[in-house]
Amino acid sequence: MTGASRRIAVFGAGYIGLVTGACFAELGHRVVVRDIQPERIRLLNSGEVPFFEPGLGDLITRNKERLAFTLDVEEAVRDAEAVFVCVDTPPTASGDADLSRVWAVVDALRGASHLVAVVVKSTVPVGTGARVRAALDERDLGHVGYASNPEFTAEGRAVEDFLRPDRVVIGASDDAVARWVADLYGRLDSPVELMDVASAEMVKLASNALLATRITFINEIATVCEATGADIGHVSRAVGLDHRLGPHFLRAGLGYGGSCFPKDSRALRAMASNSGYPFQLLNAVIEVNELQPRRAIQRLKTELDGLKGRRIALLGMTFKPGTDDMREAPSTIIASRLLAEGATVTCWDPMAPHTDGRQEPWSSATRRPDPLGAMTDADAAILVTEWPELTDVDWTAAARLMRNPLLLDGRNLLDPAALLSAGFTHMGVGRGTRRPR
């Protein structure tokens, strides 16, 4: 692969589209990113990134001569050789993926006969590519190639994942189009997997479903550990040392969240159901994950003999550290349940966005600027997001500030022995409850 410089239009300036555009510019291509949100484009044109992603701002600044942002479809497509579709595909009420934004892009390409390829990075159901291909044909774009090129980037390390991928997956029925898209990644030292479109679409869904299954499995083992007196820390470490299994995604906690795992698992389940197959394993994965934060609330309720009138501190709100993303974050369920039980909720997070008057599940919670402030006068604290700042907290001071020094470590981040020494009652996931002597 030569990795020759190309002209690319990226539709969508969200997490995937903006990372895709900036990274392609880093690889030497000229990129125009188009979005429908004026404020987002205004921020980008003024040098600001509308969300937090490590390294992304520096990447955009470094490649500003090869990277442009616009609201205008014609401006984005005018000189482009390829259009990358990176719009979101949120779930519908039935769990199916909402493809309306994908179809809006396809409609916007009428007359773009100069294109070499339309490439979909958005996560879509298997069979979407065939429908898009037919739609392009109907719009007199039958000569324009089509490819599926799913993304495998994780928030918090998306730039690293794009530039140093485990693999690049490209699905196309035309070998020439597949090679042309593969050439865009020519400067990367990574394997390129070429396949048919349907298989490429399935790779993304299957990958996320398998990762979600591993998380859910270790959470189920953690529940059994709590019932039997075993320690999930020892169990998961020893299991992960097996070369056949590995340690990845074997950390017990409050369940997975974010923009991908929940949505994609439900989409795969819906797709299977629509095809007449009840995906029973995935049903169980989704059910267990939805129960995981609720189990934590029930444990706390039992320990405190009820939650009404209690003050509970939430330490961390985003679905994972290193991001400001609140989508499907376990904290939203936990905060909602605590408030419904009559508790008062205080919370801390270094990056979670403020509600600005919006009625979010945590909008009735009181934000504090630091963890100690959130825990002051609290009857219990729940560590929800494993922010590294929490390892530096003076836990002895925290115990003195709380009405009742009780911590439910929902990510097993902290050393139980150190917390016991600080005066805390410690509840871990898969570790039971330990009390100071």
Side-chain angles (χ1 to χ4, degrees):
M1 290 185 285
T2 64
S5 177
R6 299 293 189 182
R7 299 183 306 279
I8 299 169
V10 174
F11 276 63
Y15 280 92
I16 302 308
L18 200 50
V19 169
T20 295
C23 288
F24 270 142
E26 177 76 359
L27 295 179
H29 305 297
R30 303 192 69 83
V31 182
V32 179
V33 179
R34 185 257 176 175
D35 200 271
I36 62 173
Q37 298 185 31
E39 178 62 15
R40 179 167 290 184
I41 295 301
R42 185 193 68 77
L43 287 171
L44 289 166
N45 280 324
S46 65
E48 298 181 56
V49 180
F51 51 82
F52 178 75
E53 181 62 40
L56 181 57
D58 292 340
L59 201 66
I60 291 173
T61 300
R62 186 163 66 244
N63 292 283
K64 60 183 179 180
E65 298 301 321
R66 289 192 294 269
L67 193 56
F69 307 99
T70 184
L71 292 164
D72 187 73
V73 171
E74 184 178 345
E75 180 183 350
V77 176
R78 183 184 301 124
D79 298 320
E81 297 172 84
V83 166
F84 274 74
V85 182
C86 300
V87 296
D88 60 338
T89 53
T92 64
S94 65
D96 297 286
D98 179 356
L99 300 180
S100 59
R101 293 170 178 84
V102 173
W103 294 119
V105 175
V106 173
D107 286 338
L109 299 181
R110 291 179 183 273
S113 58
H114 60 282
L115 291 173
V116 174
V118 173
V119 185
V120 170
K121 266 198 174 295
S122 301
T123 302
V124 297
V126 178
T128 300
R131 294 169 59 196
V132 174
R133 175 70 275 168
L136 292 173
D137 292 346
E138 291 171 0
R139 290 160 175 77
D140 296 324
L141 298 174
H143 60 287
V144 176
Y146 177 83
S148 171
N149 176 215
E151 54 83 22
F152 300 99
T153 54
E155 288 182 38
R157 51 164 298 147
V159 171
E160 176 75 12
D161 286 344
F162 190 103
L163 296 177
R164 294 173 180 81
D166 295 327
R167 78 289 202 200
V168 174
V169 173
I170 300 169
S173 56
D174 186 308
D175 289 342
V177 172
R179 289 193 299 271
W180 193 93
V181 175
D183 189 64
L184 298 175
Y185 296 90
R187 291 176 57 185
L188 300 182
D189 182 20
S190 60
V192 176
E193 293 291 317
L194 302 181
M195 59 191 69
D196 60 279
V197 172
S199 296
E201 293 169 337
M202 181 60 86
V203 168
K204 169 65 175 182
L205 295 170
S207 295
N208 279 353
L210 181 55
L211 293 175
T213 299
R214 283 177 67 99
I215 294 170
T216 300
F217 175 80
I218 205 63
N219 281 336
E220 286 281 75
I221 294 297
T223 301
V224 179
C225 285
E226 291 170 15
T228 59
D231 188 315
I232 191 61
H234 298 313
V235 173
S236 59
R237 172 175 166 77
V239 168
L241 290 172
D242 189 323
H243 72 278
R244 299 169 300 174
L245 303 173
H248 303 297
F249 291 84
L250 287 181
R251 288 193 61 185
L254 296 173
Y256 56 77
S259 61
C260 290
F261 288 180
K263 173 180 73 70
D264 294 351
S265 296
R266 294 174 193 141
L268 180 55
R269 178 179 64 177
M271 189 182 74
S273 297
N274 294 340
S275 301
Y277 174 67
F279 204 144
Q280 295 177 358
L281 175 60
L282 201 52
N283 282 335
V285 167
I286 294 168
E287 181 180 355
V288 170
N289 191 70
E290 291 175 347
L291 286 173
Q292 199 67 10
R294 299 173 189 274
R295 283 193 64 256
I297 294 298
Q298 188 58 44
R299 289 182 66 194
L300 201 64
K301 184 177 181 179
T302 300
E303 180 67 22
L304 293 174
D305 192 26
L307 293 170
K308 187 175 181 179
R310 302 289 191 177
R311 181 183 295 274
I312 311 298
L314 301 188
L315 304 178
M317 298 167 65
T318 58
F319 86 94
K320 63 185 283 189
T323 180
D324 58 0
D325 197 346
M326 290 291 298
R327 286 176 291 182
E328 300 276 357
S331 65
T332 61
I333 296 175
I334 292 171
S336 296
R337 287 303 312 143
L338 287 171
L339 293 167
E341 292 281 352
T344 299
V345 180
T346 58
C347 56
W348 164 84
D349 191 286
M351 298 206 68
H354 288 267
T355 58
D356 297 325
R358 298 189 302 272
Q359 287 302 306
E360 302 287 4
W362 64 94
S363 58
S364 297
T366 302
R367 295 285 292 270
R368 298 298 187 196
D370 57 76
L372 290 179
M375 287 185 280
T376 298
D377 294 328
D379 296 291
I382 306 176
L383 194 158
V384 182
T385 311
E386 59 272 38
W387 286 103
E389 291 92 328
L390 293 173
T391 61
D392 297 326
V393 168
D394 184 341
W395 290 101
T396 300
R400 296 194 189 105
L401 290 170
M402 294 177 70
R403 285 201 295 246
N404 177 40
L406 167 63
L407 177 74
L408 194 163
D409 187 347
R411 299 299 179 183
N412 291 341
L413 175 69
L414 306 173
D415 178 13
L419 287 166
L420 292 173
S421 297
F424 273 88
T425 295
H426 175 269
M427 304 173 73
V429 179
R431 284 178 165 162
T433 302
R434 305 177 191 182
R435 307 179 195 281
R437 294 180 180 178

